[in-house]
Amino acid sequence: MIDKKKLLSQAAAIGVNLSDNQAEQFDLFSRLLVETNEKFNLTAIKDPDEIVTKHLVDCLTLFPAVDFPEGAGVIDIGTGAGFPAVPLLIYRPDLKITALDSTGKKLNFVESAVSELGLSINLIHGRAEEYGRGDLRESFDFAVSRAVASLNVLCEYCLPFVKAGGKFISMKGSKADEELALSRTAVRTLGGRFAECREFTLADGIERNLVIIEKASPSPPKYPRPSAQISRKPL
Ligand code: SAH
C-alpha cells in the first residue's frame, strides 16, 4: 500500500528510526484507512505518498519534540481516524493512550484497526468539554491534538485533562505564531504556560509546528465551559 522506504527515510529525516515491523504496522493501518474510507469518509488524504507525509510522518514529529517517559498517559483530543493516537501507539506501544472523539463511526474504525494491529487503546466517545469536567480531569501526563479547533478553543478542551507538570501539544500548520498570539489569555486562564514552538519541514517543503504548553497549575473549576459558551465567547 504505502512505500515503506519513503516512510522509513522521511521518519529518519525527522530523527525517528522505525523498525521493519513498525513500517509493516503503518502499512497495514494505511490499508485499513483507505479501505474503510471507501465506505465512509474518514480522511480527505487518500494518496499513499500523501498518507506517508501528511498523516504518518506528521504525527511522528511528536517524538523528536517531546520526551515521553515510559508508560506515560496521553490523551488525543478529536482523534478522528486515529491521528496522532495510532502513530503514537505504533511507535511507542508502552504509552497508555486514550483517544477521544465525538464521532462514533471514526472511533469504530480506530477500535478495529488497533485490534488488527495487536495493540491496545482506550476510546472515549464524547465531547472534550464534557469529559474534561469528569473523572479524567487533571489525570494525563500529556494531551495532544491535531486539526480540531483554533488554539484558544483547544486550550479549553485540552488543558483541563492535563496534570500539573504535564504538557499539552497542539499540532499546527504554518500559522502557529498567529494562533499563539491570539491564545495568550486562554493559556494563562487554564493554568498553562507557553514552553516552546517546534518547527518541522516535512517532505515537499510542508511546514508544521508543534506548540508545546506546560500545565503550570490546575485549571479553575469553571473550565471547560459548556460548548455554546466556548463558541460564543472563546477565551
Ligand atoms: N485529529 C484527526 C482528526 C481531525 S478532524 C486528524 O488530525 O486527522 C477533527 C475531529 O475532531 C473530528 O473527528 C471531530 O469529530 C472531532 N471533534 C471536534 N470537536 C470536538 C469536541 N469538542 N470533542 C470531541 N471531538 C471533537
Side-chain angles (χ1 to χ4, degrees):
M1 159 78 209
I2 55 168
D3 182 335
K4 281 177 264 176
K5 285 208 180 97
K6 276 190 186 161
L7 172 65
L8 289 168
S9 70
Q10 289 183 27
I14 57 158
V16 174
N17 294 310
L18 301 176
S19 68
D20 288 342
N21 182 47
Q22 286 167 336
E24 287 294 339
Q25 288 183 304
F26 279 116
D27 184 54
L28 172 58
F29 181 59
S30 306
R31 195 145 28 89
L32 297 169
L33 179 72
V34 168
E35 272 170 27
T36 312
N37 207 39
E38 283 164 11
K39 288 177 244 150
F40 51 78
N41 187 33
L42 288 171
T43 169
I45 298 173
K46 302 175 184 88
D47 173 65
D49 284 351
E50 283 197 67
I51 291 177
V52 167
T53 307
K54 294 186 182 170
H55 277 328
L56 307 181
V57 180
D58 184 23
C59 290
L60 291 172
T61 57
L62 282 166
F63 293 107
V66 182
D67 185 16
F68 292 96
E70 173 93 22
V74 184
I75 186 164
D76 178 10
I77 301 294
T79 193
F83 298 104
V86 176
L88 278 175
L89 193 57
I90 290 175
Y91 188 60
R92 285 283 305 274
D94 61 289
L95 297 176
K96 293 190 186 63
I97 299 186
T98 298
L100 178 148
D101 204 285
S102 53
T103 307
K105 66 172 191 179
K106 294 188 181 176
L107 287 182
N108 292 342
F109 165 73
V110 176
E111 183 171 38
S112 74
V114 166
S115 115
E116 287 219 30
L117 289 164
L119 297 169
S120 95
I121 194 165
N122 179 32
L123 298 173
I124 301 176
H125 180 202
R127 294 195 66 86
E129 59 276 37
E130 286 164 18
Y131 276 84
R133 303 189 70 85
D135 292 350
L136 296 177
R137 188 181 177 88
E138 310 275 339
S139 71
F140 291 90
D141 301 300
F142 299 91
V144 295
S145 189
R146 191 184 83 149
V148 173
S150 58
L151 185 58
N152 56 335
V153 169
L154 268 186
C155 285
E156 189 159 354
Y157 288 169
C158 297
L159 276 168
F161 285 105
V162 184
K163 293 177 192 167
K167 287 185 174 128
F168 160 46
I169 304 110
S170 170
M171 311 182 70
K172 291 287 180 186
S174 55
K175 300 213 170 107
D177 286 355
E178 287 171 31
E179 282 202 45
L180 187 58
L182 296 172
S183 304
R184 299 277 175 193
T185 307
V187 171
R188 197 172 359 97
T189 306
L190 290 149
R193 182 172 52 210
F194 169 68
E196 60 172 329
C197 194
R198 291 285 299 268
E199 188 178 325
F200 291 87
T201 305
L202 308 182
D204 304 324
I206 297 166
E207 193 191 320
R208 293 284 193 254
N209 285 279
L210 301 187
V211 181
I212 303 177
I213 294 166
E214 287 165 2
K215 184 77 180 272
S217 53
S219 302
K222 180 177 170 195
Y223 303 101
R225 297 164 296 161
S227 318
Q229 276 184 43
I230 297 179
S231 46
R232 201 168 348 106
K233 271 194 150 195
L235 287 170

